[in-house]
Amino acid sequence: MPEHDEEHYEGGEAWADILARRSPEGRAVVEQLNRAEEAALAIQQRIVLAITEKRDVTEDFCAFETALAEVLRMRSKVYRMARQ
């Protein structure tokens, strides 16, 4: 998952770190982002394994697209909240 420095960092510090320090609500949102990223990575690992084993990846790929959309949504939410 590519990261865009201008969207996720300010002065070398991640927006998520900034937000997590601010409040319990901010920490909760960052934890949601972390869970979304972990879920996407787990699906990605399943896809890689399935490809190496020459199995069908259609279902996992659709799940990965959904998980990646959630990661991007959560990253945008973290960015917006941190900038407020």
Side-chain angles (χ1 to χ4, degrees), residues 15-23 26-27 29-30 78 81-82:
W15 289 115
D17 294 338
I18 293 168
L19 183 60
R21 272 198 320 269
R22 283 199 189 150
S23 68
R27 278 188 294 284
V29 170
V30 171
V78 165
M81 289 179 73

Side-chain angles (χ1 to χ4, degrees), residues 26-46:
R27 278 188 294 284
V29 170
V30 171
E31 288 172 8
Q32 281 182 290
L33 169 60
N34 291 337
R35 285 191 300 274
E37 289 174 334
E38 289 173 7
L41 288 173
I43 295 168
Q44 184 181 36
Q45 290 171 345
R46 284 198 320 256

